[in-house]
Amino acid sequence: MAVSLHNLRYKIAAAAVVKGVAWRAARLPGARSAVTSLAGRLQPADEETGSYRGLLAGLLRQAVQPETGDAVAYDGVAGIMPAPEPTAAPDLDALHDHVRQNPSAGNLVALAATYRKSYIADFSAAASWYERAYEANPKDLRAVEGILSCGARSHFDWQRMWHYASALKPTRGPLATRPDFWADVDELFTPHPSYSLVRSLVEQLTEHSSTVATLHQLLLETLSTRLQFLGEFRAGTALRRAMAQNRVTELRGIPLESPLWLKHLLGAYAYLDCHSRLNQTSARPPLDTPHTLARTQVQKLQADVALLQGDPDPLVAHARQRATTLPLPGEEKMRALVEGRRVAVVGPAATGEELGELIDAYDVIVRTRFRPDVINEAPQRMGSRTDIAYYSGLDLSRGFDEVQQIAGSGALHLAVGRPLYWPVLEQVPQWLRISRFEFGLYFRGAPMAIQRIIYDLLQFAPAQIGIFNADFYANPKLLTEGYRDDAATFGPHSALNDPVVMHDLAFEFRITQRLANSGLIVPHGSAAQVLELTEDQYLRRLEEHSPLGLARQIRHRDAGK
């Protein structure tokens, strides 16, 4: 879900000033130890995260951190980087001890955030701990965001989630005096809101869009997500556009404290298709880059901006330079498989198209979450071999032994995991490669599987990337039978919830369409047909023909529409 920056504009600017002054001061003789000592005195005891004193202490420590080191760590913007200390896998027992000793909101949030990590993915526990964090401090927006994100991926009780999010209703302004509007919003979070209620509320959101856009960012996120789970993808996307505009309003024209805020600003411009502003901000980022990590983060984001404009060369050059500085296991094997070769990316969609012979004609075949039994049953549709398979953090964690056995049998040359999986690996086996970084121009969410694969492959300069068995959820059937049994429909603990909660279908569609129009990918079959649609046509397809729009289709059927 989206990170809320509501009313943080001046705090971000102030943090940038503090960090810049501390960095410059630390370059004076003897000042580094003084800044480090001050950070230590400011840091609250027994608190993992959360207070302003803790945040200030963190800024000071960042300002004096060593340039680099012999360890390897995962960074949320740059990906896997040299570091003074490795990224340690989270210690749940230690975090529980912290909570028992000091059940502050900060410590509770830290524990909840660990449970939601993709290689643990206990979203029920995470949601419960976020609720406790909210009870400890109802003003902690991280708790509200976690309640929404983890609740939508676990218990799926919308009234329970709305209980917390509704506290963000405005207390002043035009909508604060509209009890009828909020009564309809409250009804939206009941299990089965009526056709007339949803239609009326969508009309009100459209009519008062400029006023609605001023609502709290997390309130907009909650409304957008709920509407999309009810099959209203156009209305949900309109609210996310309002969120992106809010993000721009909060971040433009101020000094940014870190490249993370630059990532949010560039992502918002990308979401709004403001490519002129996107290019200008990328070329002249409004932040200091005093050390290697910050410079690398900015260079990575600049390469992503160039790719979105159809130029993969900066990304290829950046990846090569990073590989020279820090070679990663499996990278040379990946380069040997992909560079200069024709690559087929085969998704799991149940398109029914018999393109197996064309798939097999490619030099390299790449799949998501390789299931040999599924492939072997339908080579005429899926192709007959697999060279590279990509896995989410959760799939790799839960299926590690199975993937190892498949790779050991020779059925697979290389498995690829996400960079955020790096901290839990003590040693990377020969059959596994952890991707160095992922596409960064998201103001909310993360890349979906097909888009993540395309981006990763483009770093290795393939001759061509063909896309097969991918319809971006726009057709009546979802996944090839047997591919995934926990994604049949929206609901409690369903993997199908993720495209709405963790991703953005409209933005993923636009990204993929831009890559196709630039000639960087060649879609086949259903993929080509869907990518010829306009965004509005695509969202209508989701509403009217996809299983993702089932709730809307049932409402319209029952209402005789």
Side-chain angles (χ1 to χ4, degrees):
M1 281 193 168
V3 174
S4 177
L5 306 186
H6 201 75
N7 293 330
L8 289 183
R9 176 178 176 82
Y10 299 110
K11 294 175 184 177
I12 292 170
V17 172
V18 169
K19 195 171 179 180
V21 169
W23 175 75
R24 289 170 176 82
R27 269 57 191 168
L28 299 174
R32 177 179 291 271
S33 60
V35 173
T36 302
S37 176
L38 177 60
R41 291 196 300 271
L42 286 170
Q43 179 63 49
D46 300 322
E47 183 172 299
E48 289 293 315
T49 179
S51 69
Y52 284 118
R53 287 184 60 187
L55 293 172
L56 179 56
L59 289 174
L60 295 177
R61 281 194 298 270
Q62 291 170 26
V64 297
Q65 68 183 357
E67 279 274 323
T68 184
D70 296 329
V72 179
Y74 168 68
D75 173 78
V77 178
I80 300 173
M81 285 284 295
E85 297 179 358
T87 305
D91 186 338
L92 278 172
D93 291 337
L95 290 169
H96 276 282
D97 286 341
H98 277 294
V99 166
R100 280 190 290 269
Q101 295 166 12
N102 179 14
S104 67
N107 286 345
L108 289 161
V109 164
L111 179 58
T114 299
Y115 272 111
R116 77 188 281 186
K117 289 184 180 297
S118 65
Y119 43 80
I120 298 176
D122 188 342
F123 301 116
S124 294
S128 295
W129 287 111
Y130 277 123
E131 288 171 350
R132 286 190 56 181
Y134 180 90
E135 291 160 6
N137 180 8
K139 294 183 179 180
D140 195 322
L141 297 178
R142 298 169 302 170
V144 179
E145 185 279 329
I147 288 168
L148 299 174
S149 178
C150 297
R153 302 177 81 185
S154 58
H155 56 73
F156 208 69
D157 184 338
W158 285 96
Q159 288 174 301
R160 175 177 166 184
M161 289 181 269
W162 182 238
H163 168 74
Y164 298 96
S166 62
L168 300 174
K169 290 178 183 178
T171 57
R172 59 179 182 270
L175 289 178
T177 59
R178 289 281 307 277
D180 55 333
F181 171 79
W182 291 110
D184 285 351
V185 172
D186 291 340
E187 186 71 19
L188 188 74
F189 289 87
T190 59
H192 304 289
S194 68
Y195 166 84
S196 58
L197 180 282
V198 176
R199 181 177 177 180
S200 171
L201 188 57
V202 168
E203 290 174 350
Q204 292 180 72
L205 291 171
T206 302
E207 181 182 355
H208 304 288
S209 58
S210 59
T211 305
V212 169
T214 65
L215 293 174
H216 194 287
Q217 193 88 338
L218 284 176
L219 199 59
L220 289 174
E221 173 72 13
T222 308
L223 287 168
S224 169
T225 304
R226 179 56 174 155
L227 283 168
Q228 291 185 70
F229 276 120
L230 292 170
E232 301 291 341
F233 285 95
R234 285 171 294 164
T237 299
L239 289 178
R240 285 187 175 167
R241 285 186 180 275
M243 291 168 58
Q245 185 58 59
N246 289 349
R247 181 66 47 88
V248 168
T249 301
E250 289 285 348
L251 293 177
R252 71 182 174 192
I254 62 171
L256 301 178
E257 175 266 325
S258 77
L260 177 62
W261 300 125
L262 177 64
K263 174 183 184 294
H264 286 299
L265 179 57
L266 295 177
Y269 279 137
Y271 197 90
L272 295 168
D273 287 327
C274 294
H275 291 281
S276 176
R277 288 279 189 178
L278 177 66
N279 293 331
Q280 292 172 12
T281 307
S282 171
R284 299 183 64 182
L287 78 166
D288 283 332
T289 55
H291 48 72
T292 301
L293 174 59
R295 288 191 292 272
T296 303
Q297 290 169 320
V298 170
Q299 290 162 5
K300 158 69 169 56
L301 292 170
Q302 290 170 333
D304 289 350
V305 170
L307 180 66
L308 197 62
Q309 311 306 323
D311 181 7
D313 291 344
L315 178 64
V316 173
H318 182 75
R320 284 185 177 276
Q321 186 274 325
R322 296 276 295 276
T324 301
T325 305
L326 177 66
L328 294 179
E331 209 157 51
E332 284 306 309
K333 187 175 184 179
M334 183 78 175
R335 191 175 304 282
L337 283 168
V338 173
E339 190 172 34
R341 307 186 76 189
R342 298 173 66 249
V343 181
V345 176
V346 185
T351 64
E353 298 158 342
E354 296 193 351
L355 299 174
E357 186 175 344
L358 181 57
I359 292 170
D360 282 338
Y362 275 72
D363 302 319
V364 180
I365 298 178
V366 177
R367 302 187 191 276
T368 61
R369 193 173 178 261
F370 179 38
R371 296 294 304 273
D373 52 337
V374 175
I375 307 304
N376 294 337
E377 286 183 4
Q380 73 278 8
R381 290 189 285 108
M382 307 294 289
S384 61
R385 71 178 201 279
T386 302
D387 298 296
I388 304 170
Y390 282 74
Y391 294 85
S392 70
L394 180 58
D395 286 335
L396 188 57
S397 296
R398 293 179 176 175
F400 192 91
D401 292 340
E402 180 185 0
V403 179
Q404 185 171 24
Q405 184 178 6
I406 292 170
S409 71
L412 181 67
H413 290 299
L414 195 63
V416 181
R418 298 186 63 188
L420 48 77
Y421 191 73
W422 181 270
V424 302
L425 288 173
E426 295 182 2
Q427 185 174 0
V428 181
Q430 290 186 346
W431 52 266
L432 178 63
R433 167 184 166 259
I434 301 299
S435 55
R436 187 179 294 273
F437 44 64
E438 296 179 341
F439 185 64
L441 300 186
Y442 289 87
F443 91 96
R444 67 165 309 284
M448 296 180 71
I450 294 293
Q451 289 80 0
R452 178 167 61 90
I453 291 171
I454 293 169
Y455 177 79
D456 191 57
L457 290 170
L458 284 170
Q459 301 167 36
F460 296 93
Q464 185 187 100
I465 298 177
I467 308 298
F468 298 87
N469 292 359
D471 59 14
F472 314 103
Y473 298 99
N475 288 324
K477 291 187 177 181
L478 282 176
L479 302 174
T480 297
E481 186 174 354
Y483 175 77
R484 189 183 283 280
D485 298 327
D486 58 349
T489 186
F490 291 146
H493 306 284
S494 172
L496 191 60
N497 299 348
D498 280 8
V500 171
V501 182
M502 299 307 299
H503 309 291
D504 190 291
L505 291 163
F507 188 52
E508 298 285 6
F509 170 79
R510 276 187 275 138
I511 291 172
T512 313
Q513 191 176 63
R514 289 184 69 89
L515 295 176
N517 292 341
S518 300
L520 296 177
I521 61 173
V522 180
H524 296 271
S526 292
Q529 295 169 11
V530 172
L531 291 175
E532 289 175 354
L533 301 174
T534 65
E535 181 180 327
D536 185 73
Q537 290 171 334
Y538 169 66
L539 294 176
R540 284 179 181 273
R541 282 275 290 270
L542 295 181
E543 293 177 348
E544 297 172 1
H545 301 289
S546 169
L548 301 189
L550 182 61
R552 182 181 188 274
Q553 294 158 23
I554 291 173
R555 285 196 309 278
H556 280 236
R557 182 197 65 197
D558 292 347
K561 303 297 181 180

